[in-house]
Amino acid sequence: MKKRTSPPSTLENSPAQTGRQNMTTINEFKYINERPVDDISLDFFYKPHTITLLAVSIIGVMYFAFVRDQSDTQENVWAGMVCVIFFFLIVSILAFPNGPFTRPHPVVWRMLFGLSVLYLLFLVFLMFQDYKSIMGIFYWFDPRLRNFKIDMDKEYGANCTDLSFERIWSHVDVFAWGHFLGWAFKAILIRHMGILWAISVMWEITEISFAHLLPNFAECWWDALILDVLVCNGLGIWCGLKICKLLEMREYKWASIRDISSTKGKIKRVVLQFTPESWAPVRWLDPNCTYMRFFAVCQLVLLWQLTELNTFFLKHIFEMPPSHPVVIGRLIFVGLFTAPSVRQYYIYVTDTRCKRLGTQCWVHIAILVMEAILCIKNGKELFERTQVTNIVFWLFVQAAVSMLFIFGCMLWHKYVDGDESQESSPVKQLSRGFKDSAIVSGDSKGKSSVKNSPKTTPTKKVRSQHNSVKAD
């Protein structure tokens, strides 16, 4: 009689275990893409009012369609475009995901996502137009652009030996303040000094490599190294990280506006609605992170370079002044939409349970690529003057410097800041439940999220016990 052997353990690969892991993955993606709102105190602002919204929208459109003067064809086109955008934003509010943030209200982030989809579709439309047709569209929006031409003969990096105080002070203009505020905002988004300095240094290399195509990239050495990198960028990074540190140390205890008796307290609570619900620390790199996570962070640095390059090439190829509303509006829009995109990218890179890239981040990357293709397609005359050696040098230095910076950050976390990084780094265990997602999203720390806050990452002793149980 053959001896019956006990069946092999199927604890890991059982259908129930596989189902739980799949559900955890689905929930994790849903959490960063459709962020729930905890502890709603004013139900009216968070309950669906779809029928009311439909009725008000239709009545409003009917009123303006029948009452307004239709004698001007251009005004009719404008009105039709505004109405299309209006209804698309209404659909965005009803159908699009919240994203990873809920303040000041999920509707704000849904509308921002809707605008990004419209912008992506507009770029796709421009992809199939020739340069003359595209400029005709811009002239239709703003006829004053016909009189503006890019001055290719203007010298930007001249007289570099003049180091007088008056010469240096003349460069501290509105663009210098823009540098400072921009890097403070980037520091608040990324929250990692090593990555920020990598982007800052590599951008100066990018300016040197493309100076033969974009004349305003040609700068004196003291302007690039001292004013840009050390003063404007450095102070911006320092101030942004200081703000992040203060927000991390703050204790978040949100009280309902109904529980506040004084008028001053109610007004203060309304203003605080436009601040983050919480602020969890961010750990892009871990001493024991995989090579895929390493290359993903390097990819973030390269994507950021592409974002900056698109800004300068778009206004140069399609000839717009830096102060034009289209240029300023695009900068503000990209800055706002970058916030949820970076958060979703961070979770996708650091959380092993999240197997899909967030929708907003996906659209953001698509926009960057479409802008780059649009520039290459319509800037043939400009790119014909491209110096191949400069571009090859730029690609090589970008890859080498980004990897060196990120590898240096890993060594720093391993040998200098190892204990803190090890405890705070979002290294997850697949057996943890969906409720652990709160700390990973970085927007659910505080009183309102106690029920959803995760337990700390299991210690080595607990993990070893868990592995021994699985082995048995």
Side-chain angles (χ1 to χ4, degrees), residues 18 75 84-85 120 161 178 244 258 266 268 279 343 353 393 401 435 457:
T18 304
E75 289 294 328
V84 168
I85 295 174
L120 175 61
T161 56
C244 294
R258 296 175 177 176
K266 291 180 180 292
K268 182 180 178 181
W279 200 272
R343 172 55 55 178
R353 297 169 298 178
F393 168 77
V401 173
K435 292 183 179 180
T457 305

Side-chain angles (χ1 to χ4, degrees), residues 245-299:
K245 198 67 175 178
L246 293 175
L247 292 174
E248 288 178 13
M249 296 171 61
R250 178 186 171 191
E251 185 178 1
Y252 292 83
K253 293 183 178 180
W254 295 102
S256 171
I257 195 171
R258 296 175 177 176
D259 300 332
I260 302 175
S261 57
S262 64
T263 305
K264 182 179 179 180
K266 291 180 180 292
I267 296 176
K268 182 180 178 181
R269 177 61 181 84
V270 172
V271 174
L272 289 176
Q273 182 67 23
F274 293 88
T275 62
E277 181 189 6
S278 64
W279 200 272
V282 167
R283 296 293 181 268
W284 283 95
L285 296 168
D286 182 81
N288 300 318
C289 67
T290 63
Y291 70 94
M292 290 300 295
R293 184 163 167 183
F294 170 81
F295 285 114
V297 177
C298 294
Q299 181 177 270

Side-chain angles (χ1 to χ4, degrees), residues 62-70:
M62 288 177 60
Y63 174 79
F64 286 105
F66 286 98
V67 172
R68 61 177 300 274
D69 183 15
Q70 300 182 6

Side-chain angles (χ1 to χ4, degrees), residues 436-448:
D436 296 351
S437 304
I439 195 70
V440 178
S441 69
D443 200 20
S444 313
K445 183 184 70 174
K447 182 179 179 180
S448 63

Side-chain angles (χ1 to χ4, degrees), residues 220-251:
C220 295
W221 64 269
W222 47 266
D223 191 3
L225 295 179
I226 299 178
L227 291 182
D228 285 352
V229 177
L230 297 180
V231 178
C232 296
N233 299 0
L235 286 177
I237 292 173
W238 183 82
C239 291
L241 293 178
K242 273 294 182 182
I243 294 173
C244 294
K245 198 67 175 178
L246 293 175
L247 292 174
E248 288 178 13
M249 296 171 61
R250 178 186 171 191
E251 185 178 1

Side-chain angles (χ1 to χ4, degrees), residues 23-38:
M23 183 60 66
T24 301
T25 301
I26 295 173
N27 287 341
E28 184 66 21
F29 173 76
K30 184 177 179 181
Y31 192 85
I32 67 169
N33 212 49
E34 185 68 41
R35 171 70 193 280
V37 182
D38 299 328

Side-chain angles (χ1 to χ4, degrees), residues 294-350:
F294 170 81
F295 285 114
V297 177
C298 294
Q299 181 177 270
L300 172 70
V301 177
L302 297 177
L303 287 175
W304 211 282
Q305 301 294 307
L306 181 61
T307 305
E308 303 283 357
L309 267 179
N310 287 343
T311 301
F312 290 92
F313 273 113
L314 283 172
K315 71 181 181 65
H316 183 89
I317 293 174
F318 299 107
E319 295 188 314
M320 292 186 183
S323 59
H324 194 272
V326 172
V327 178
I328 302 299
R330 178 194 170 274
L331 286 176
I332 296 175
F333 166 72
V334 171
L336 291 175
F337 191 66
T338 299
S341 301
V342 170
R343 172 55 55 178
Q344 289 185 340
Y345 188 80
Y346 170 75
I347 298 173
Y348 175 74
V349 168
T350 59

